[in-house]
Amino acid sequence: MRKTLFALLSILVVVSMLLAACKSEEKPTQTPPPTEAPPATEAPPPTEAPPPTEAPPPTEPPDTGPPDLTGETITIYHFGDLSGPYAAITAPLIHGAEDDLFPVRHARRMYEAAGEPKELWVIQGFGHGNPAEAFSAEYRARVVDFFDRAFTVEQ
């Protein structure tokens, strides 16, 4: 019984020492005295809006026609769903038969979904790249011919 009593007293002493060491000291907090509100100031006088100005009359650019793009490189990009609201935006589909990034079946599916007018040119022996550089004469002839057909207005 003596050993048990000694053990219990030892535990009680250790626990009370730990609680005393961990106890935080409560410091009385002092509240600062209330401050007085600043004196009221007068509101600034109202400002007046500037007088309205008149817009200049609209000017129309002179009708000079389309710019001369002879010798210029025209690159056409179209991203999106060719069967949706952009189906009316047409461009010739040009694809290399040896393209290792996108199979030819992708170009064929886009062609099938595209609105009229449409054209698919699969270049045999050509991979993924810029056909305008590799086949400049044929590229130019095909693209110009396509747009001539696509945007000709019959009267």
Short mmCIF file of all heavy atoms in Angstrom, two decimals, residues 3-67:
data_model
loop_
_atom_site.label_atom_id
_atom_site.label_comp_id
_atom_site.label_asym_id
_atom_site.label_seq_id
_atom_site.Cartn_x
_atom_site.Cartn_y
_atom_site.Cartn_z
N LYS A 3 3.70 1.62 -1.46
CA LYS A 3 4.23 1.85 -2.81
C LYS A 3 3.17 2.48 -3.70
O LYS A 3 3.47 3.37 -4.49
CB LYS A 3 4.69 0.52 -3.43
CG LYS A 3 5.95 0.00 -2.80
CD LYS A 3 6.38 -1.25 -3.52
CE LYS A 3 7.64 -1.81 -2.89
NZ LYS A 3 8.10 -3.01 -3.52
N THR A 4 1.95 2.04 -3.56
CA THR A 4 0.88 2.60 -4.36
C THR A 4 0.63 4.04 -3.99
O THR A 4 0.45 4.91 -4.86
CB THR A 4 -0.42 1.79 -4.17
OG1 THR A 4 -0.16 0.42 -4.38
CG2 THR A 4 -1.49 2.25 -5.11
N LEU A 5 0.62 4.36 -2.71
CA LEU A 5 0.42 5.73 -2.25
C LEU A 5 1.56 6.63 -2.72
O LEU A 5 1.33 7.76 -3.15
CB LEU A 5 0.29 5.75 -0.73
CG LEU A 5 -0.06 7.09 -0.10
CD1 LEU A 5 -1.38 7.62 -0.63
CD2 LEU A 5 -0.11 6.97 1.41
N PHE A 6 2.77 6.12 -2.64
CA PHE A 6 3.93 6.90 -3.11
C PHE A 6 3.83 7.18 -4.61
O PHE A 6 4.10 8.28 -5.08
CB PHE A 6 5.23 6.14 -2.76
CG PHE A 6 6.44 6.88 -3.20
CD1 PHE A 6 6.87 8.02 -2.52
CD2 PHE A 6 7.18 6.45 -4.30
CE1 PHE A 6 7.99 8.70 -2.93
CE2 PHE A 6 8.30 7.13 -4.72
CZ PHE A 6 8.72 8.27 -4.03
N ALA A 7 3.40 6.19 -5.38
CA ALA A 7 3.27 6.36 -6.84
C ALA A 7 2.20 7.39 -7.16
O ALA A 7 2.37 8.25 -8.04
CB ALA A 7 2.96 5.02 -7.49
N LEU A 8 1.06 7.32 -6.46
CA LEU A 8 -0.01 8.28 -6.72
C LEU A 8 0.40 9.70 -6.34
O LEU A 8 0.12 10.65 -7.07
CB LEU A 8 -1.27 7.88 -5.93
CG LEU A 8 -2.05 6.70 -6.50
CD1 LEU A 8 -3.20 6.33 -5.58
CD2 LEU A 8 -2.59 7.02 -7.87
N LEU A 9 1.08 9.86 -5.24
CA LEU A 9 1.56 11.18 -4.84
C LEU A 9 2.60 11.71 -5.82
O LEU A 9 2.62 12.90 -6.13
CB LEU A 9 2.14 11.14 -3.42
CG LEU A 9 1.10 11.05 -2.29
CD1 LEU A 9 1.80 10.89 -0.95
CD2 LEU A 9 0.23 12.26 -2.28
N SER A 10 3.45 10.85 -6.30
CA SER A 10 4.47 11.26 -7.29
C SER A 10 3.80 11.76 -8.58
O SER A 10 4.18 12.78 -9.16
CB SER A 10 5.41 10.11 -7.60
OG SER A 10 6.10 9.70 -6.46
N ILE A 11 2.81 11.02 -9.04
CA ILE A 11 2.09 11.42 -10.26
C ILE A 11 1.39 12.75 -10.04
O ILE A 11 1.41 13.64 -10.89
CB ILE A 11 1.10 10.32 -10.68
CG1 ILE A 11 1.86 9.08 -11.17
CG2 ILE A 11 0.14 10.81 -11.76
CD1 ILE A 11 1.01 7.89 -11.47
N LEU A 12 0.76 12.92 -8.85
CA LEU A 12 0.07 14.15 -8.54
C LEU A 12 1.02 15.34 -8.50
O LEU A 12 0.71 16.42 -9.02
CB LEU A 12 -0.66 13.99 -7.19
CG LEU A 12 -1.52 15.17 -6.75
CD1 LEU A 12 -2.63 15.44 -7.76
CD2 LEU A 12 -2.09 14.93 -5.38
N VAL A 13 2.21 15.16 -7.98
CA VAL A 13 3.21 16.23 -7.93
C VAL A 13 3.67 16.58 -9.34
O VAL A 13 3.78 17.76 -9.71
CB VAL A 13 4.39 15.82 -7.02
CG1 VAL A 13 5.56 16.79 -7.16
CG2 VAL A 13 3.96 15.73 -5.57
N VAL A 14 3.95 15.59 -10.15
CA VAL A 14 4.42 15.83 -11.52
C VAL A 14 3.34 16.56 -12.32
O VAL A 14 3.61 17.52 -13.04
CB VAL A 14 4.83 14.50 -12.19
CG1 VAL A 14 5.08 14.68 -13.67
CG2 VAL A 14 6.06 13.93 -11.52
N VAL A 15 2.09 16.12 -12.22
CA VAL A 15 1.00 16.76 -12.97
C VAL A 15 0.82 18.20 -12.51
O VAL A 15 0.63 19.11 -13.33
CB VAL A 15 -0.30 15.94 -12.81
CG1 VAL A 15 -1.51 16.71 -13.34
CG2 VAL A 15 -0.19 14.61 -13.52
N SER A 16 0.87 18.45 -11.19
CA SER A 16 0.70 19.82 -10.71
C SER A 16 1.86 20.71 -11.13
O SER A 16 1.68 21.89 -11.43
CB SER A 16 0.52 19.84 -9.18
OG SER A 16 1.67 19.34 -8.55
N MET A 17 3.08 20.16 -11.22
CA MET A 17 4.23 20.94 -11.69
C MET A 17 4.07 21.27 -13.19
O MET A 17 4.37 22.39 -13.62
CB MET A 17 5.53 20.17 -11.45
CG MET A 17 5.93 20.14 -9.98
SD MET A 17 7.36 19.13 -9.58
CE MET A 17 8.56 19.60 -10.73
N LEU A 18 3.58 20.31 -13.97
CA LEU A 18 3.37 20.56 -15.40
C LEU A 18 2.28 21.61 -15.61
O LEU A 18 2.42 22.50 -16.45
CB LEU A 18 2.97 19.26 -16.11
CG LEU A 18 4.10 18.26 -16.35
CD1 LEU A 18 3.54 16.96 -16.93
CD2 LEU A 18 5.12 18.84 -17.32
N LEU A 19 1.20 21.51 -14.84
CA LEU A 19 0.14 22.50 -14.98
C LEU A 19 0.62 23.88 -14.56
O LEU A 19 0.25 24.88 -15.20
CB LEU A 19 -1.08 22.08 -14.14
CG LEU A 19 -1.87 20.89 -14.69
CD1 LEU A 19 -2.98 20.51 -13.72
CD2 LEU A 19 -2.46 21.22 -16.04
N ALA A 20 1.43 23.96 -13.54
CA ALA A 20 1.94 25.25 -13.08
C ALA A 20 2.90 25.83 -14.12
O ALA A 20 2.92 27.04 -14.35
CB ALA A 20 2.63 25.10 -11.73
N ALA A 21 3.69 24.98 -14.78
CA ALA A 21 4.65 25.47 -15.78
C ALA A 21 3.95 25.91 -17.06
O ALA A 21 4.39 26.84 -17.73
CB ALA A 21 5.68 24.38 -16.09
N CYS A 22 2.86 25.25 -17.39
CA CYS A 22 2.15 25.57 -18.64
C CYS A 22 1.12 26.67 -18.47
O CYS A 22 0.58 27.17 -19.45
CB CYS A 22 1.46 24.33 -19.18
SG CYS A 22 2.61 23.04 -19.69
N LYS A 23 0.84 27.05 -17.25
CA LYS A 23 -0.19 28.05 -17.01
C LYS A 23 0.29 29.40 -17.53
O LYS A 23 1.39 29.84 -17.25
CB LYS A 23 -0.50 28.13 -15.52
CG LYS A 23 -1.61 29.07 -15.18
CD LYS A 23 -1.87 29.07 -13.69
CE LYS A 23 -2.92 30.10 -13.36
NZ LYS A 23 -3.13 30.20 -11.93
N SER A 24 -0.56 30.05 -18.32
CA SER A 24 -0.20 31.37 -18.83
C SER A 24 -0.63 32.41 -17.82
O SER A 24 -1.67 32.30 -17.18
CB SER A 24 -0.88 31.63 -20.17
OG SER A 24 -2.28 31.62 -20.00
N GLU A 25 0.22 33.40 -17.72
CA GLU A 25 -0.10 34.47 -16.79
C GLU A 25 -1.12 35.39 -17.44
O GLU A 25 -0.96 35.82 -18.57
CB GLU A 25 1.16 35.28 -16.44
CG GLU A 25 2.14 34.53 -15.59
CD GLU A 25 3.29 35.42 -15.18
OE1 GLU A 25 3.07 36.64 -15.03
OE2 GLU A 25 4.38 34.90 -15.04
N GLU A 26 -2.15 35.65 -16.69
CA GLU A 26 -3.15 36.57 -17.20
C GLU A 26 -2.77 37.98 -16.81
O GLU A 26 -2.64 38.30 -15.64
CB GLU A 26 -4.53 36.21 -16.64
CG GLU A 26 -5.06 34.89 -17.14
CD GLU A 26 -6.46 34.62 -16.61
OE1 GLU A 26 -7.17 35.58 -16.26
OE2 GLU A 26 -6.81 33.45 -16.54
N LYS A 27 -2.57 38.78 -17.80
CA LYS A 27 -2.23 40.18 -17.55
C LYS A 27 -3.50 40.99 -17.68
O LYS A 27 -4.28 40.78 -18.62
CB LYS A 27 -1.19 40.68 -18.54
CG LYS A 27 0.13 39.96 -18.41
CD LYS A 27 1.12 40.51 -19.39
CE LYS A 27 2.44 39.78 -19.26
NZ LYS A 27 3.42 40.25 -20.22
N PRO A 28 -3.71 41.87 -16.80
CA PRO A 28 -4.92 42.70 -16.94
C PRO A 28 -4.78 43.58 -18.17
O PRO A 28 -3.76 44.21 -18.39
CB PRO A 28 -4.95 43.52 -15.65
CG PRO A 28 -3.57 43.48 -15.11
CD PRO A 28 -2.94 42.22 -15.63
N THR A 29 -5.82 43.56 -18.97
CA THR A 29 -5.80 44.38 -20.18
C THR A 29 -6.38 45.75 -19.86
O THR A 29 -7.38 45.87 -19.16
CB THR A 29 -6.63 43.73 -21.31
OG1 THR A 29 -7.95 43.52 -20.84
CG2 THR A 29 -6.02 42.39 -21.70
N GLN A 30 -5.69 46.72 -20.35
CA GLN A 30 -6.16 48.08 -20.14
C GLN A 30 -6.86 48.55 -21.39
O GLN A 30 -6.32 48.44 -22.49
CB GLN A 30 -4.99 49.00 -19.81
CG GLN A 30 -4.29 48.66 -18.52
CD GLN A 30 -3.13 49.61 -18.27
OE1 GLN A 30 -2.80 50.42 -19.10
NE2 GLN A 30 -2.53 49.48 -17.10
N THR A 31 -8.03 49.06 -21.24
CA THR A 31 -8.74 49.59 -22.39
C THR A 31 -8.38 51.06 -22.53
O THR A 31 -8.34 51.79 -21.55
CB THR A 31 -10.27 49.44 -22.21
OG1 THR A 31 -10.66 50.09 -21.01
CG2 THR A 31 -10.67 47.97 -22.15
N PRO A 32 -8.09 51.46 -23.76
CA PRO A 32 -7.72 52.86 -23.97
C PRO A 32 -8.93 53.75 -23.72
O PRO A 32 -10.07 53.33 -23.91
CB PRO A 32 -7.27 52.91 -25.42
CG PRO A 32 -7.91 51.75 -26.07
CD PRO A 32 -8.07 50.71 -25.00
N PRO A 33 -8.68 54.95 -23.29
CA PRO A 33 -9.81 55.86 -23.05
C PRO A 33 -10.51 56.17 -24.38
O PRO A 33 -9.88 56.18 -25.44
CB PRO A 33 -9.16 57.10 -22.46
CG PRO A 33 -7.74 57.05 -22.89
CD PRO A 33 -7.41 55.59 -23.03
N PRO A 34 -11.80 56.37 -24.35
CA PRO A 34 -12.51 56.68 -25.60
C PRO A 34 -12.04 57.99 -26.19
O PRO A 34 -11.70 58.93 -25.47
CB PRO A 34 -13.98 56.74 -25.16
CG PRO A 34 -13.96 56.96 -23.69
CD PRO A 34 -12.66 56.38 -23.18
N THR A 35 -11.99 58.01 -27.52
CA THR A 35 -11.55 59.22 -28.21
C THR A 35 -12.78 60.02 -28.63
O THR A 35 -13.87 59.47 -28.82
CB THR A 35 -10.73 58.89 -29.46
OG1 THR A 35 -11.53 58.08 -30.32
CG2 THR A 35 -9.47 58.15 -29.11
N GLU A 36 -12.59 61.28 -28.77
CA GLU A 36 -13.69 62.14 -29.18
C GLU A 36 -13.78 62.17 -30.69
O GLU A 36 -12.79 62.04 -31.40
CB GLU A 36 -13.46 63.56 -28.64
CG GLU A 36 -13.50 63.65 -27.14
CD GLU A 36 -13.30 65.09 -26.67
OE1 GLU A 36 -13.51 66.01 -27.48
OE2 GLU A 36 -12.95 65.27 -25.51
N ALA A 37 -14.98 62.31 -31.18
CA ALA A 37 -15.21 62.39 -32.61
C ALA A 37 -14.63 63.70 -33.13
O ALA A 37 -14.67 64.72 -32.44
CB ALA A 37 -16.70 62.31 -32.92
N PRO A 38 -14.08 63.72 -34.35
CA PRO A 38 -13.56 64.97 -34.88
C PRO A 38 -14.70 65.94 -35.12
O PRO A 38 -15.85 65.55 -35.32
CB PRO A 38 -12.90 64.55 -36.20
CG PRO A 38 -13.52 63.26 -36.55
CD PRO A 38 -13.93 62.61 -35.27
N PRO A 39 -14.39 67.21 -35.11
CA PRO A 39 -15.46 68.20 -35.31
C PRO A 39 -16.03 68.08 -36.72
O PRO A 39 -15.33 67.71 -37.66
CB PRO A 39 -14.76 69.54 -35.11
CG PRO A 39 -13.32 69.27 -35.31
CD PRO A 39 -13.10 67.83 -34.92
N ALA A 40 -17.29 68.35 -36.85
CA ALA A 40 -17.96 68.27 -38.15
C ALA A 40 -17.42 69.34 -39.07
O ALA A 40 -17.13 70.46 -38.65
CB ALA A 40 -19.46 68.42 -37.95
N THR A 41 -17.27 68.98 -40.33
CA THR A 41 -16.81 69.95 -41.32
C THR A 41 -17.95 70.25 -42.28
O THR A 41 -18.90 69.47 -42.41
CB THR A 41 -15.61 69.40 -42.12
OG1 THR A 41 -16.02 68.19 -42.77
CG2 THR A 41 -14.43 69.12 -41.21
N GLU A 42 -17.83 71.36 -42.96
CA GLU A 42 -18.87 71.72 -43.91
C GLU A 42 -18.67 70.93 -45.20
O GLU A 42 -17.54 70.62 -45.60
CB GLU A 42 -18.79 73.22 -44.21
CG GLU A 42 -19.15 74.08 -43.03
CD GLU A 42 -19.11 75.55 -43.40
OE1 GLU A 42 -19.26 75.88 -44.60
OE2 GLU A 42 -18.94 76.37 -42.49
N ALA A 43 -19.77 70.60 -45.83
CA ALA A 43 -19.70 69.88 -47.09
C ALA A 43 -19.19 70.82 -48.17
O ALA A 43 -19.50 72.02 -48.15
CB ALA A 43 -21.07 69.35 -47.46
N PRO A 44 -18.40 70.32 -49.11
CA PRO A 44 -17.92 71.20 -50.19
C PRO A 44 -19.09 71.62 -51.07
O PRO A 44 -20.10 70.92 -51.15
CB PRO A 44 -16.93 70.32 -50.96
CG PRO A 44 -17.30 68.93 -50.63
CD PRO A 44 -17.90 68.97 -49.26
N PRO A 45 -18.97 72.75 -51.71
CA PRO A 45 -20.07 73.19 -52.58
C PRO A 45 -20.24 72.22 -53.75
O PRO A 45 -19.28 71.61 -54.20
CB PRO A 45 -19.63 74.57 -53.05
CG PRO A 45 -18.15 74.57 -52.91
CD PRO A 45 -17.85 73.66 -51.75
N PRO A 46 -21.46 72.04 -54.22
CA PRO A 46 -21.67 71.12 -55.35
C PRO A 46 -20.97 71.63 -56.60
O PRO A 46 -20.85 72.82 -56.81
CB PRO A 46 -23.19 71.09 -55.53
CG PRO A 46 -23.69 72.31 -54.84
CD PRO A 46 -22.67 72.67 -53.79
N THR A 47 -20.52 70.68 -57.39
CA THR A 47 -19.84 71.05 -58.64
C THR A 47 -20.84 70.98 -59.78
O THR A 47 -21.84 70.26 -59.72
CB THR A 47 -18.67 70.10 -58.93
OG1 THR A 47 -19.17 68.77 -59.00
CG2 THR A 47 -17.61 70.18 -57.85
N GLU A 48 -20.54 71.71 -60.83
CA GLU A 48 -21.42 71.72 -61.99
C GLU A 48 -20.82 70.82 -63.06
O GLU A 48 -19.61 70.75 -63.24
CB GLU A 48 -21.56 73.14 -62.52
CG GLU A 48 -22.28 74.06 -61.57
CD GLU A 48 -22.46 75.44 -62.18
OE1 GLU A 48 -22.40 75.58 -63.42
OE2 GLU A 48 -22.64 76.39 -61.41
N ALA A 49 -21.71 70.15 -63.76
CA ALA A 49 -21.26 69.28 -64.86
C ALA A 49 -20.81 70.15 -66.02
O ALA A 49 -21.34 71.23 -66.24
CB ALA A 49 -22.40 68.38 -65.29
N PRO A 50 -19.81 69.69 -66.76
CA PRO A 50 -19.37 70.48 -67.92
C PRO A 50 -20.48 70.49 -68.98
O PRO A 50 -21.30 69.58 -69.04
CB PRO A 50 -18.13 69.75 -68.42
CG PRO A 50 -18.25 68.37 -67.88
CD PRO A 50 -19.03 68.49 -66.61
N PRO A 51 -20.50 71.51 -69.81
CA PRO A 51 -21.54 71.56 -70.84
C PRO A 51 -21.36 70.41 -71.83
O PRO A 51 -20.23 69.95 -72.08
CB PRO A 51 -21.31 72.92 -71.51
CG PRO A 51 -19.89 73.25 -71.22
CD PRO A 51 -19.57 72.64 -69.90
N PRO A 52 -22.45 69.88 -72.38
CA PRO A 52 -22.33 68.77 -73.34
C PRO A 52 -21.60 69.22 -74.60
O PRO A 52 -21.69 70.36 -75.01
CB PRO A 52 -23.78 68.38 -73.63
CG PRO A 52 -24.60 69.57 -73.24
CD PRO A 52 -23.82 70.30 -72.18
N THR A 53 -20.88 68.27 -75.16
CA THR A 53 -20.16 68.56 -76.41
C THR A 53 -20.85 67.84 -77.55
O THR A 53 -21.51 66.82 -77.36
CB THR A 53 -18.70 68.10 -76.32
OG1 THR A 53 -18.69 66.70 -76.06
CG2 THR A 53 -17.95 68.82 -75.22
N GLU A 54 -20.66 68.35 -78.73
CA GLU A 54 -21.26 67.72 -79.91
C GLU A 54 -20.26 66.77 -80.54
O GLU A 54 -19.06 67.06 -80.61
CB GLU A 54 -21.67 68.78 -80.92
CG GLU A 54 -22.82 69.65 -80.43
CD GLU A 54 -23.26 70.62 -81.51
OE1 GLU A 54 -23.04 70.35 -82.70
OE2 GLU A 54 -23.80 71.66 -81.14
N ALA A 55 -20.76 65.63 -80.98
CA ALA A 55 -19.91 64.66 -81.65
C ALA A 55 -19.60 65.17 -83.05
O ALA A 55 -20.45 65.79 -83.70
CB ALA A 55 -20.60 63.31 -81.72
N PRO A 56 -18.38 64.90 -83.53
CA PRO A 56 -18.07 65.33 -84.90
C PRO A 56 -18.91 64.53 -85.89
O PRO A 56 -19.31 63.41 -85.62
CB PRO A 56 -16.57 65.03 -85.05
CG PRO A 56 -16.30 63.98 -84.03
CD PRO A 56 -17.27 64.22 -82.91
N PRO A 57 -19.19 65.09 -87.03
CA PRO A 57 -20.00 64.36 -88.01
C PRO A 57 -19.24 63.10 -88.47
O PRO A 57 -18.01 63.12 -88.57
CB PRO A 57 -20.19 65.36 -89.16
CG PRO A 57 -19.07 66.33 -88.99
CD PRO A 57 -18.77 66.38 -87.53
N PRO A 58 -19.96 62.01 -88.73
CA PRO A 58 -19.27 60.78 -89.16
C PRO A 58 -18.64 60.98 -90.53
O PRO A 58 -19.21 61.63 -91.41
CB PRO A 58 -20.38 59.74 -89.21
CG PRO A 58 -21.65 60.51 -89.32
CD PRO A 58 -21.40 61.83 -88.66
N THR A 59 -17.46 60.42 -90.67
CA THR A 59 -16.78 60.50 -91.96
C THR A 59 -16.69 59.10 -92.54
O THR A 59 -16.42 58.14 -91.83
CB THR A 59 -15.36 61.08 -91.80
OG1 THR A 59 -14.63 60.23 -90.92
CG2 THR A 59 -15.40 62.49 -91.23
N GLU A 60 -16.94 58.97 -93.78
CA GLU A 60 -16.86 57.68 -94.44
C GLU A 60 -15.55 57.60 -95.21
O GLU A 60 -15.15 58.56 -95.88
CB GLU A 60 -18.04 57.50 -95.39
CG GLU A 60 -19.37 57.42 -94.65
CD GLU A 60 -20.51 57.05 -95.57
OE1 GLU A 60 -20.26 56.41 -96.60
OE2 GLU A 60 -21.64 57.42 -95.25
N PRO A 61 -14.87 56.46 -95.10
CA PRO A 61 -13.61 56.34 -95.84
C PRO A 61 -13.90 56.31 -97.34
O PRO A 61 -14.95 55.86 -97.78
CB PRO A 61 -13.05 55.00 -95.36
CG PRO A 61 -14.23 54.23 -94.87
CD PRO A 61 -15.20 55.25 -94.37
N PRO A 62 -12.97 56.80 -98.12
CA PRO A 62 -13.18 56.78 -99.57
C PRO A 62 -13.22 55.34 -100.08
O PRO A 62 -12.54 54.46 -99.56
CB PRO A 62 -11.97 57.53 -100.12
CG PRO A 62 -10.93 57.42 -99.05
CD PRO A 62 -11.69 57.36 -97.75
N ASP A 63 -14.05 55.09 -101.07
CA ASP A 63 -14.19 53.75 -101.63
C ASP A 63 -13.05 53.52 -102.63
O ASP A 63 -13.15 53.90 -103.79
CB ASP A 63 -15.55 53.62 -102.31
CG ASP A 63 -15.82 52.19 -102.73
OD1 ASP A 63 -15.12 51.28 -102.25
OD2 ASP A 63 -16.74 51.98 -103.55
N THR A 64 -11.98 52.92 -102.14
CA THR A 64 -10.81 52.70 -102.99
C THR A 64 -10.70 51.27 -103.47
O THR A 64 -9.83 50.95 -104.25
CB THR A 64 -9.52 53.07 -102.24
OG1 THR A 64 -9.44 52.24 -101.07
CG2 THR A 64 -9.51 54.53 -101.85
N GLY A 65 -11.55 50.38 -102.96
CA GLY A 65 -11.49 48.99 -103.37
C GLY A 65 -10.55 48.19 -102.48
O GLY A 65 -9.92 48.72 -101.57
N PRO A 66 -10.45 46.91 -102.76
CA PRO A 66 -9.60 46.07 -101.92
C PRO A 66 -8.12 46.37 -102.15
O PRO A 66 -7.72 46.83 -103.22
CB PRO A 66 -9.95 44.64 -102.37
CG PRO A 66 -10.46 44.80 -103.76
CD PRO A 66 -11.12 46.15 -103.80
N PRO A 67 -7.30 46.12 -101.13
CA PRO A 67 -5.86 46.38 -101.31
C PRO A 67 -5.24 45.36 -102.26
O PRO A 67 -5.73 44.25 -102.42
CB PRO A 67 -5.30 46.20 -99.89
CG PRO A 67 -6.27 45.30 -99.21
CD PRO A 67 -7.61 45.61 -99.81
#
